Amino acid sequence: QVQLVESGGGLVQAGGSLRLSCAASGRTFRNYAMGWFRQAPGKERTFVAHINRSGGTTDYADAVKGRFTISRDNTKNTVYLQMNSLKPEDTAVYYCAARSSGTSYYATSYNYWGQGTQVTVSS
């Protein structure tokens, strides 16, 4: 079992930045690939970014590429999402997720989820 707790969400103006954190506890964090997903009101949960177990491989949704950066610190059992140049369309609840095998773009393939953190970007 892996427990995930997100933090760092909030209200920010368009063009601003936020850094989300996801702290993991339970089983060995470095054994899990990690992903960030988001869900806007009335919409499906969608892929934002993922990172492999070592942190050496990352990928991003086209909508955030060049603006968001995913990273992890296996010594702190934490994954981060640095979000720059935020836009109103980035407004959503952001979730981190853990997967016991390789990275994936699909929410249904992740084994563990956090409770989410709200990000609101005002225009």
Side-chain angles (χ1 to χ4, degrees):
Q1 193 80 356
V2 175
Q3 292 79 41
L4 303 172
V5 179
E6 300 99 334
S7 61
L11 173 64
V12 64
Q13 288 189 331
S17 297
L18 284 173
R19 188 176 82 153
L20 306 183
S21 299
C22 173
S25 60
R27 295 193 176 180
T28 307
F29 177 69
R30 65 177 179 271
N31 290 342
Y32 291 84
M34 300 297 295
W36 284 97
F37 291 77
R38 65 187 182 185
Q39 187 166 19
K43 296 190 176 181
E44 292 185 351
R45 193 169 298 189
T46 59
F47 168 76
V48 174
H50 63 52
I51 189 166
N52 71 343
R53 284 172 279 192
S54 69
T57 301
T58 60
D59 203 4
Y60 301 88
D62 287 343
V64 308
K65 203 167 288 187
R67 300 187 297 122
F68 290 11
T69 303
I70 188 171
S71 62
R72 66 189 295 162
D73 186 339
N74 286 346
T75 67
K76 296 182 178 179
N77 292 350
T78 303
V79 63
Y80 304 97
L81 186 68
Q82 177 67 44
M83 305 186 296
N84 298 329
S85 302
L86 283 161
K87 305 175 181 180
E89 52 264 42
D90 294 319
T91 295
V93 177
Y94 283 71
Y95 298 90
C96 70
R99 190 168 188 266
S100 57
S101 51
T103 55
S104 172
Y105 299 94
Y106 303 103
T108 55
S109 70
Y110 283 77
N111 307 102
Y112 303 102
W113 290 85
Q115 82 290 347
T117 186
Q118 176 70 47
V119 171
T120 303
V121 184
S122 63
S123 56

